[in-house]
Amino acid sequence: ETGVTQSPTHLIKTRGQQVTLRCSSQSGHNTVSWYQQALGQGPQFIFQYYREEENGRGNFPPRFSGLQFPNYSSELNVNALELDDSALYLCASSLGGLAGGREQYFGPGTRLTVT
Amino acid sequence: AQSVTQLDSHVSVSEGTPVLLRCNYSSSYSPSLFWYVQHPNKGLQLLLKYTSAATLVKGINGFEAEFKKSETSFHLTKPSAHMSDAAEYFCVVSDQVGAQKLVFGQGTRLTINP
């Protein structure tokens, strides 16, 4: 069974640029969630995708957007990067879509640095 | 709205002694509660999960947690600490209805002294 994978591992971007982060879900999982973890903080929920549609969103501006593909993999896109976007971005996969309370399995994360 | 408070930002214990990491939660509905562990430069690993079955939940690596509704607490314990337990621990709440949004506490850093 393959776990959650993310790419790239590390990324350095300049303020104002755009970035795309990628995630492959664990085998058999149909739901993908994205979280932002700033240094020394707990992860914050960005949004979740189920059946290629956004299913819940946290307190993040519209310049954070995403996609889910038919194979359940996902992308997180961030436009107009700001210095505060520097963080570890975590992808998590799970089963069930619209049913709450399910455990989520996390990838190793992508470390984004904005200069 | 859901929220989690981890009562200690840093806990330090000696190897072989008990571990107690404290967590209080707030939730409008019947919550699911989790503990995750994060080792340095690694992703998050699920330790254990509570979803309204038995109030005492056993997890991996000898950890367990007890759900106490009257105290809105979900403390994590381990009888005997091992050096490999040194990591950041997160208490997490999720409502059992609606989107699968996990709400994390701020984390407790566990240090193990030899």
Side-chain angles (χ1 to χ4, degrees):
Chain A
E1 184 179 270
T2 305
V4 180
T5 60
Q6 294 185 243
S7 62
T9 306
H10 296 89
L11 205 50
I12 300 174
K13 289 286 189 178
T14 303
R15 190 172 51 183
Q17 287 187 316
Q18 178 266 342
V19 68
T20 297
L21 310 181
R22 294 178 174 83
C23 170
S24 292
S25 60
Q26 184 168 312
S27 177
H29 284 183
N30 57 13
T31 303
V32 173
S33 305
W34 286 91
Y35 294 82
Q36 180 195 66
Q37 186 178 19
L39 203 60
Q41 305 289 319
Q44 300 285 318
F45 176 74
I46 303 174
F47 44 54
Q48 181 181 96
Y49 278 83
Y50 171 64
R51 290 186 176 176
E52 302 176 50
E53 296 207 354
E54 189 179 286
N55 172 39
R57 187 179 183 92
N59 188 25
F60 282 81
R63 61 189 184 83
F64 285 78
S65 63
L67 284 172
Q68 186 181 31
F69 300 99
N71 66 354
Y72 305 133
S73 66
S74 178
E75 288 183 354
L76 164 65
N77 299 289
V78 187
N79 294 322
L81 284 166
E82 301 178 0
L83 296 178
D84 284 349
D85 295 334
S86 294
L88 181 67
Y89 288 84
L90 295 162
C91 170
S93 74
S94 56
L95 278 170
L98 304 181
R102 304 293 181 106
E103 60 266 38
Q104 298 182 16
Y105 295 89
F106 286 81
T110 294
R111 174 74 62 187
L112 173 64
T113 302
V114 182
T115 61
Chain B
Q2 310 146 296
S3 66
V4 172
T5 302
Q6 293 184 242
L7 300 172
D8 306 290
S9 60
H10 187 205
V11 169
S12 181
V13 302
S14 297
E15 190 175 20
T17 64
V19 175
L20 169 64
L21 305 183
R22 298 181 297 164
C23 171
N24 288 344
Y25 71 92
S26 173
S27 177
S28 303
Y29 303 99
S30 296
S32 288
L33 293 159
F34 310 84
W35 278 96
Y36 281 85
V37 61
Q38 187 173 36
H39 289 93
N41 300 315
K42 296 287 179 87
L44 291 154
Q45 181 184 18
L46 178 66
L47 278 179
L48 50 79
K49 168 187 173 182
Y50 165 79
T51 52
S52 72
T55 56
L56 184 62
V57 182
K58 294 188 183 298
I60 62 171
N61 301 334
F63 285 95
E64 61 182 37
E66 185 171 8
F67 173 72
K68 292 188 176 180
K69 185 175 181 179
S70 60
E71 299 177 10
T72 60
S73 69
F74 190 58
H75 301 334
L76 181 70
T77 60
K78 182 173 181 177
S80 176
H82 191 273
M83 295 299 291
S84 61
D85 295 329
E88 190 86 16
Y89 290 79
F90 292 96
C91 183
V92 181
V93 66
S94 174
D95 284 338
Q96 293 193 29
V97 294
Q100 297 175 27
K101 170 186 173 182
L102 299 183
V103 176
F104 285 75
Q106 289 292 90
T108 298
R109 186 191 310 169
L110 177 63
T111 300
I112 311 296
N113 303 309

